[in-house]
Amino acid sequence: LCSSSSSNTYRDFPLGCVPFGFGSSRLQSRSTHSPSGHHRGAEVKMVKFVADPSCQAKMHQYQIVGRAAPTPKNPVPKIYRMRLFAKNTVLAKSRFWYFMKKLNKAKKSGGELLAVNELFDKGPTKVKNYGIWLRYESRTNTHNMYKEFRDVTINGAVSQMYSEMAGRHRAHPNTIQSINTATLKASECKRDHILEMHDGKLKFPIIRKMPLVAKKMRSTFQARRPMTFVR
């Protein structure tokens, strides 16, 4: 959200720099030999899967206030405030100067930052409906789009948006710009996959139910096949 100190109008300038990646589990194999020298085979050891935090699309919301550096010609330049989504403060500052250069030709070398603050949600334990207005550049043109998501925080909703844009539209994160974000009431939602979650009698079937067995009664092999259906 960008605003000038001399007016009450707002403009939205988002940040979209999210590298996407996937962690992978590794297999460690080792060959064992008997004292007599015969090969007994290879033992495969499974290593616990640990996702790399740098590969997760975790977005944060920042508020950055800055302006162009004072000069004799313009001793009191306008102050701009922007609300940006980025993975860290470094990318948020970079995106701030990207938009400042388009607004008033102010670069990082010829400007100054007055404040950099991270914004948090008031109720991060309650599921809410979020609407996101955005635009992105495809291979042929620039497109406007409106999407809805359900999440407990706006950061999670924006992270879902970047993942969906990368999967459905092959949109590069650098080309995505969030024009506006809003928390929607149930009556304001439009998308079917959001409306179907508003039913008060919504139930999820238990597809596979494993019986709970005491630890001392558990065994690796059983003579009977366990019943997994709900009776």
Side-chain angles (χ1 to χ4, degrees):
L1 190 63
C2 172
S3 65
S4 171
S5 60
S6 60
S7 63
N8 296 326
T9 58
Y10 294 92
R11 299 177 185 175
D12 295 312
F13 299 96
L15 172 65
C17 294
V18 186
F20 292 90
F22 301 90
S24 61
S25 59
R26 296 174 296 175
L27 294 178
Q28 296 180 353
S29 61
R30 57 183 181 182
S31 300
T32 58
H33 298 270
S34 61
S36 60
H38 297 286
H39 182 72
R40 294 190 303 176
E43 295 181 3
V44 179
K45 181 181 179 181
M46 294 295 296
V47 180
K48 185 178 179 181
F49 176 84
V50 179
D52 188 359
S54 63
C55 296
Q56 297 177 356
K58 179 63 175 177
M59 304 297 291
H60 299 271
Q61 186 177 191
Y62 296 97
Q63 177 181 275
I64 301 181
V65 181
R67 65 176 183 176
T71 59
K73 186 176 181 180
N74 186 14
V76 185
K78 289 184 179 180
I79 298 176
Y80 290 87
R81 176 172 59 92
M82 297 187 189
R83 182 166 57 92
L84 306 168
F85 291 94
K87 287 192 64 178
N88 49 54
T89 56
V90 176
L91 297 178
K93 293 176 184 178
S94 175
R95 201 61 169 176
F96 174 81
W97 291 117
Y98 169 81
F99 290 114
M100 284 291 289
K101 188 175 181 181
K102 292 180 175 295
L103 287 174
N104 54 5
K105 299 181 181 180
K107 299 187 298 182
K108 181 180 178 180
S109 59
E112 57 184 4
L113 294 177
L114 304 179
V116 178
N117 302 317
E118 184 175 356
L119 304 179
F120 299 92
D121 288 76
K122 294 182 179 180
T125 59
K126 183 181 179 181
V127 180
K128 295 173 285 293
N129 308 311
Y130 292 102
I132 301 178
W133 290 261
L134 62 107
R135 62 173 170 263
Y136 78 99
E137 296 179 6
S138 66
R139 297 168 181 167
T140 57
N141 204 350
T142 302
H143 310 275
N144 297 325
M145 194 172 292
Y146 168 74
K147 287 184 173 295
E148 293 179 357
F149 301 96
R150 279 177 64 85
D151 208 292
V152 293
T153 60
I154 183 63
N155 296 340
V158 174
S159 299
Q160 290 186 48
M161 182 267 292
Y162 275 98
S163 299
E164 183 172 324
M165 293 299 297
R168 290 176 181 263
H169 305 283
R170 299 294 188 269
H172 196 273
N174 293 336
T175 65
I176 301 174
Q177 299 180 3
S178 300
I179 300 175
N180 188 25
T181 60
T183 304
L184 306 177
K185 299 179 181 178
S187 59
E188 298 175 344
C189 296
K190 303 176 182 178
R191 300 295 183 251
D192 293 336
H193 70 282
I194 301 298
L195 295 175
E196 66 182 4
M197 304 298 292
H198 295 163
D199 187 4
K201 299 181 180 179
L202 186 64
K203 296 182 180 179
F204 297 93
I206 302 177
I207 304 301
R208 181 171 181 176
K209 184 177 180 181
M210 296 295 294
L212 181 61
V213 183
K215 190 173 183 179
K216 62 180 181 180
M217 302 296 295
R218 296 176 188 175
S219 61
T220 305
F221 302 100
Q222 291 183 352
R224 293 184 179 181
R225 181 176 298 176
M227 292 188 299
T228 60
F229 60 89
V230 180
R231 289 184 293 180

